Amino acid sequence: MRTDDLVHAMVADLHAAQTSIGRQFALAIAIGFAISAVLFWVTLGPRPDIAAAALTIRFDLKIVETLLLAATAVALVLRLAQPGAGTGLQKIVLAAAPALLTVAVMAELLVVPTDQWQAKLVGSNSLVCLTAIPLLSLPLLAALLLALRHGAPTSRGAAGAAAGLVAGGLAAALYATQCTDDSPLFVATWYTIAIGAVTVLGAFLGRRLLRW
Amino acid sequence: MSQRDTGWADLMRAANSGDAESYERVLRRIAAALRPLVRRGLARAGRSGADIEDVVQEVLLAVHLKQHTWDSTRPIEPWVHAIARHKLVDALRRRHGNFDLPLDDFSETLAAEEESPSVSGREVERHLAQLPAGQRAVVHAVAVEGVSIAEAAERLNLTAGAVRVALHRGLASLAKTLEQD
């Protein structure tokens, strides 16, 4: 076929601008988060003493850290969905949540006696944490991968991984409202493993599903 | 990578608000700029001359179908360039196995434009034959015979809306089968 003929067809197919990438991702996150939240509500639900917990710095920190991770990963995944968009700044900003967590861990090590470190780190919910976060992240990850298919990611693995970070971060924020292990030592260990697993899954699926 | 201002962005913005003439102009100009770029890319990969127009057409289809991934407040050239590189690497991998085009080797400007409107590619034609009959008839009528949506609708006894849908789906399936081949 002549390129000219192809151009004819494309001009005839010109229509009002499609849904923008930003809107597509906003929709994906809203729907994915709604499903995850319902899932969370019927299986675990927030801890009974959440009102009191919300007044403690350790509880608030884990919510802020997970939401910060999700927000910075959203900025990255949006850029990764658009060909030629630089991601340098977004990758630097992605370090904000890990940096905050590191500071929290150091502060915890300073204020908690050495003989309690292990108990704080091991906690009592690590298995629930490792199960709940990946499972709660699945609706979000699916919605984000669909949004990425609407986009045009030139690095499929990286785009999938960033989607995994968003999904894992939001799922972790939900789970954090149920978990009674508030120590940054617990969060830095188990949340990191759980979100890391979702990120690896995202990269794996991205490589397979995001061809265009 | 410095990019000359090609004037494509203005045309594309006009196209986005429904100006078909601007759209036609910008697609032709992008195709013309892609030719030397793809030729150099293929030559660097040791595949001189092969399939240039096929790759050009595949990039053009992607530009059309992924238009919404261009942020119209930003320059358009890096966007076209990234799509072209992605599609070229993809085409080389598909046809010649695992292949990596070093980024530097492809970071050329999109300055030169090479008009050759009558050049044909074979791949699109071949894949067109594999589309569902309805999509194939519409794409063929509009592209090759150059009829309007209204004329195609009358000829195929369809509504204009159905023709539009079939045309869009046909182009999307073409891009998909080209990519999977």
Side-chain angles (χ1 to χ4, degrees), chain B:
Chain B
M1 169 172 31
S2 67
Q3 300 276 5
R4 185 180 69 110
D5 182 17
T6 53
W8 298 345
D10 288 337
L11 289 170
M12 194 61 104
R13 276 189 284 266
N16 277 340
S17 49
D19 179 353
E21 202 180 311
S22 295
Y23 195 43
E24 180 157 359
R25 270 170 66 201
V26 75
L27 287 177
R28 281 181 203 281
R29 291 190 51 193
I30 289 174
L34 286 172
R35 264 174 217 118
L37 192 75
V38 170
R39 173 174 297 118
R40 274 197 303 271
L42 288 173
R44 291 226 166 93
R47 306 280 161 192
S48 299
D51 317 329
I52 292 174
E53 205 62 18
D54 284 329
V55 178
V56 167
Q57 293 185 354
E58 211 183 324
V59 177
L60 219 50
L61 258 177
V63 163
H64 175 66
L65 294 168
K66 297 295 185 184
Q67 221 187 95
H68 55 278
T69 65
W70 172 55
D71 175 347
S72 60
T73 61
R74 286 210 286 261
I76 195 170
E77 294 80 9
W79 176 78
V80 172
H81 197 280
I83 291 178
R85 180 173 193 280
H86 179 72
K87 285 292 171 188
L88 181 61
V89 170
D90 216 44
L92 286 165
R93 279 203 186 128
R94 245 168 19 234
R95 284 162 209 172
H96 311 292
N98 206 356
F99 179 87
D100 199 29
L101 191 67
L103 186 62
D104 291 342
D105 280 2
F106 198 60
S107 59
E108 308 265 350
T109 62
L110 284 161
E113 295 185 12
E114 187 180 317
E115 298 277 1
S116 43
S118 59
V119 182
S120 293
R122 288 163 304 152
E123 292 294 306
V124 169
E125 196 80 56
R126 196 162 68 75
H127 286 85
L128 189 57
Q130 297 165 12
L131 293 191
Q135 291 176 13
R136 188 174 63 225
V138 168
V139 173
H140 193 270
V142 176
V144 181
E145 297 167 53
V147 305
S148 69
I149 297 276
E151 287 168 315
E154 194 169 323
R155 187 185 304 188
L156 299 165
N157 205 15
L158 293 166
T159 64
V163 168
R164 276 180 215 285
V165 171
L167 177 62
H168 187 71
R169 292 211 178 129
L171 291 176
S173 351
L174 265 181
K176 185 140 231 86
T177 56
L178 281 169
E179 185 273 313
Q180 285 166 347
D181 190 26

Side-chain angles (χ1 to χ4, degrees), chain A residues 1 3-4 13 150 211-212, chain B residues 28 53 68 87 121 179:
Chain A
M1 183 184 288
T3 300
D4 239 26
D13 188 40
H150 180 71
R211 306 191 67 94
W212 56 277
Chain B
R28 281 181 203 281
E53 205 62 18
H68 55 278
K87 285 292 171 188
E179 185 273 313

Side-chain angles (χ1 to χ4, degrees), chain A residues 3-22:
Chain A
T3 300
D4 239 26
D5 294 340
L6 196 61
V7 168
H8 278 157
M10 297 193 289
V11 170
D13 188 40
L14 174 67
H15 36 224
Q18 294 192 34
T19 318
S20 78
I21 275 292

